[in-house]
Amino acid sequence: MLGKIGFLLFGLILANVANAQMPYIEEVRALGAISGQGLACGSAKYDTFEMLARAILLTKSPSDKLQNDAIYAYSEEKANAYMSKEIDGFYGCAEIIRRFDNQDIFKAVLYADGTIKMPDGKILTPRKPYDARFVYKKTNDRDVAQAIYNGKEAKILNVDVVDSSLAKNNASLPPPSVGRISRRRN
């Protein structure tokens, strides 16, 4: 029963993401939930989805502050979806992979400057051009996620973000600090 509800929710999220009529943060959360399920179930197209989802997150962001909030929301939803599949014993993964691999997002085209041509023909241009080759750095995310879930290793990233639109209006703001990565072992 829970698996059927998850499939229904998964389908509704896909439909909403495809229509792109939801607020930015909610769209990013939906992409994170879908990504987490694809990661947990071991989809062969997970890497491509992750690259496109991150590009959408960066391209649609209206400000630096909202982009930082979206990155956190995306990661949180991805982790929650992964843990949910872990808890239910990866039930229904064959169906999830089939649906995951047949999404319209895979028809999107990502250009080198960060511009995305969506499957419906809509062109998304980032507010600040960036090098799209660096959007996705391939790692073995499933093993890392499993290790974190098992409590063996976690990376904590502290980042202070100052909104670029505020910096233009108030030059007296301090410069943004550089994020620090620390490693904690349990």
Side-chain angles (χ1 to χ4, degrees), residues 33-87:
I34 295 167
S35 179
Q37 287 190 356
L39 173 63
C41 291
S43 170
K45 290 187 174 183
Y46 168 76
D47 292 341
T48 303
F49 181 89
E50 184 75 5
M51 178 186 65
L52 291 169
R54 288 180 187 189
I56 289 169
L57 184 153
L58 293 173
T59 300
K60 284 190 165 186
S61 172
S63 71
D64 291 341
K65 175 71 172 116
L66 195 54
Q67 179 178 312
N68 189 54
D69 294 345
I71 290 168
Y72 182 81
Y74 177 85
S75 300
E76 183 178 48
E77 288 300 321
K78 182 176 166 181
N80 288 341
Y82 181 89
M83 288 188 290
S84 292
K85 290 302 336 155
E86 174 78 22
I87 289 169

Side-chain angles (χ1 to χ4, degrees), residues 50-52 54-55 58 110 130-137:
E50 184 75 5
M51 178 186 65
L52 291 169
R54 288 180 187 189
L58 293 173
L110 176 60
Y130 62 90
D131 189 348
R133 293 176 299 177
F134 298 109
V135 171
Y136 186 74
K137 181 181 175 187

Side-chain angles (χ1 to χ4, degrees), residues 11 13 21 29 44 53 89 91 100 113 121 131 141 150 158 178 181:
I13 290 172
Q21 295 178 352
R29 285 187 180 279
Y91 178 78
F100 186 92
D113 68 348
D131 189 348
D141 286 343
N150 293 336
N158 297 321
V178 177
I181 298 176

Side-chain angles (χ1 to χ4, degrees), residues 92-142:
C93 272
E95 178 70 14
I96 289 172
I97 289 173
R98 186 183 66 73
R99 290 182 182 196
F100 186 92
D101 290 350
N102 291 317
Q103 296 179 77
D104 282 342
I105 194 171
F106 295 113
K107 297 175 186 170
V109 178
L110 176 60
Y111 296 96
D113 68 348
T115 300
I116 304 169
K117 182 177 181 185
M118 298 302 285
D120 63 358
K122 185 177 179 182
I123 304 291
L124 303 177
T125 306
R127 64 189 159 83
K128 292 189 267 183
Y130 62 90
D131 189 348
R133 293 176 299 177
F134 298 109
V135 171
Y136 186 74
K137 181 181 175 187
K138 190 170 182 170
T139 62
N140 193 349
D141 286 343
R142 193 168 199 286

Side-chain angles (χ1 to χ4, degrees), residues 140-157:
N140 193 349
D141 286 343
R142 193 168 199 286
D143 289 343
V144 171
Q146 188 65 45
I148 292 171
Y149 179 80
N150 293 336
K152 293 182 181 174
E153 182 178 317
K155 292 182 182 177
I156 300 170
L157 179 63

